[in-house]
Amino acid sequence: MLHALGTAVPALVAGGCSGPLSTLDSAGPAARDVATLWWAMLAGATLLTLLVVALLALAFLRRARQGETGAALWIGWLGLAMPGVVLLALLGSALVLGERMIARSEPGLVVVEATGHQWFWDFRQPGAEGAIATRDVLHIPAGRPVHVRIAAADVIHGFWVPRLAGKMDAIPGHVNVLRIEAAQPGVFEGQCAEFCGLDHTGHRFRVIAHDEAGWAAFQRGEGP
Amino acid sequence: MLWAFGFSLLYALHGIGCAGGWDEVAMAGATLFRWALVGTWCLLCLGAVALMRRAWAAPAGFERGLGLVSALAGLAAILVTGAPVVLTSACA
C-alpha cells in the first residue's frame, strides 16, 4: 500500500506540471506570469510549512522555563508581523501582475469574440471578407496579443485556456475582455471553468495559434 | 463596520464610475474617477483615525484595549485594501 502511494503521489504531482490543461506548462506571457506567481506561492508555503513543523517538533523536545510564555514572539512576530509581510508581498505582486494582464489597446492587436452556450462555444474571428464564425475552435495568430470578447447566451460559463491565460467569466448580457497570447504556433485546449449544467465536464474547446502564413490563409478562408 | 462599509462603497463607486465614464472626465490633473475614489478612501481613513481617537479617550480597562485594537485593525485594513485606488488602472 505504502509502496503504491509512494509511486502514485509523485506521479500525480509531476503529472500536473505538464499536459494540455496545465497552468504550469505555460505557452504565453500571461500564463507565464500566473505560473511564476504560483511557484513563488508554493515556495513560500513550503518554507512556512517547514517552519511550523519545526516549531511543533521543538514544542515536544524543549520545555518552556518557568514563567516563559513568549507571547510577543508568538502573537506579535509570528502571528501578526509575518503573515502581514507575506500577505502584503502577495497583494503587491498580484496588483503588478494584474496591471500587466489588463486588456489594453496596442499595435498588432487582434480582437475575437467568444460566446458560451450549453454546451458549446461560438467564436468569431476577423477575416479578409468579414468575420469568420467557428464552433468549439478558436483561431488566433501566434506571437500577437489577442483580446477575447467573452459573452454567454444562456447561463454563466467560464472561458479558460490554462496554457495561455487566466480564467474569465462569460456572463449573459455582459461582455468581458480577456487578453491571451500564444508565444509559438500550436494547439491549446480550453475548458469551461464555471459549472454550467449537466454537460459542463464536456464543455471543452480548442485554440489553434497559427504562424503568420497560416493566419493569413485562415483569414482568406483557406483554414483547416 | 467602517471597513466593511468603506470597502463596499469603494467597490460600488468603482462600478458606477466605470459605467458612467468618470475615467474620461479630466479633473485637476487626474480624472473625476480617480478623485472620487481617492477622496472617498481619504475620508474613510480619517473616519478610522477618529474612531481610534475616540477609543483612546475611553476609560482605562479591558473595553478600552479591545476598542483600540479593533480601531487599529480597521484603520490598517482600510489603508491596505483601499490603497490600490491610488495607483491601479481605473477601467479596463
Side-chain angles (χ1 to χ4, degrees):
Chain A
M1 178 67 181
L2 275 178
H3 178 71
L5 272 178
T7 313
V9 170
L12 283 172
V13 170
C17 296
S18 66
L21 290 173
S22 171
T23 52
L24 301 180
D25 192 8
S26 59
R32 192 182 54 234
D33 286 345
V34 173
T36 305
L37 182 60
W38 188 89
W39 281 112
M41 287 172 69
L42 178 69
T46 306
L47 279 176
L48 290 180
T49 304
L50 288 175
L51 175 69
V52 170
V53 171
L55 289 173
L56 191 63
L58 203 63
F60 283 101
L61 296 173
R62 182 176 170 271
R63 290 272 161 216
R65 282 188 220 102
Q66 196 71 29
E68 186 185 56
T69 60
L73 171 71
W74 290 104
I75 298 175
W77 289 106
L78 294 174
L80 288 172
M82 188 181 71
V85 169
V86 170
L87 290 176
L88 280 177
L90 280 178
L91 175 68
S93 35
L95 287 174
V96 170
L97 289 183
E99 282 291 310
R100 217 185 290 172
M101 285 180 201
I102 283 179
R104 290 193 176 88
S105 290
E106 60 183 284
L109 179 72
V110 174
V111 181
V112 299
E113 289 174 20
T115 306
H117 300 258
Q118 285 178 318
W119 288 273
F120 58 90
W121 289 88
D122 273 337
F123 297 110
R124 287 169 70 83
Q125 297 99 151
E129 294 170 9
I132 300 173
T134 53
R135 179 163 292 188
D136 288 333
V137 181
L138 170 65
H139 296 263
I140 61 169
R144 287 169 66 180
V146 177
H147 283 186
V148 188
R149 293 174 53 80
I150 302 165
D154 34 46
V155 299
I156 297 179
H157 300 275
F159 181 95
W160 189 31
V161 189
R163 296 189 63 206
L164 297 185
K167 308 168 185 177
M168 184 70 84
D169 276 359
I171 300 166
H174 180 77
V175 175
N176 278 330
V177 183
L178 176 71
R179 177 197 165 104
I180 65 172
E181 184 174 337
Q184 301 291 333
V187 179
F188 306 97
E189 297 293 326
Q191 164 76 51
C192 177
E194 186 77 34
F195 180 72
C196 58
L198 288 179
D199 204 21
H200 166 69
T201 314
H203 198 198
R204 304 271 295 256
F205 59 98
R206 186 163 285 174
V207 178
I208 300 178
H210 298 273
D211 58 17
E212 208 170 319
W215 175 244
F218 170 77
Q219 287 194 298
R220 289 194 302 270
E222 301 164 12
Chain B
M1 287 284 283
L2 180 66
W3 171 79
F5 168 75
F7 192 75
S8 308
L9 185 64
L10 286 174
Y11 211 137
L13 276 176
H14 186 271
I16 293 168
C18 284
W22 294 1
D23 57 319
E24 287 158 14
V25 182
M27 187 180 174
T31 61
L32 172 62
F33 180 90
R34 189 70 70 190
W35 282 118
L37 262 75
V38 172
T40 306
W41 178 55
C42 290
L43 284 177
L44 288 166
C45 290
L46 287 176
V49 170
L51 278 179
M52 274 206 71
R53 285 173 62 94
R54 197 185 156 106
W56 187 267
F62 176 72
E63 286 84 357
R64 179 176 183 271
L66 195 64
L68 265 176
V69 170
S70 305
L72 184 64
L75 175 61
I78 289 172
L79 277 172
V80 171
T81 55
V85 302
V86 181
L87 292 173
T88 51
S89 296
C91 311

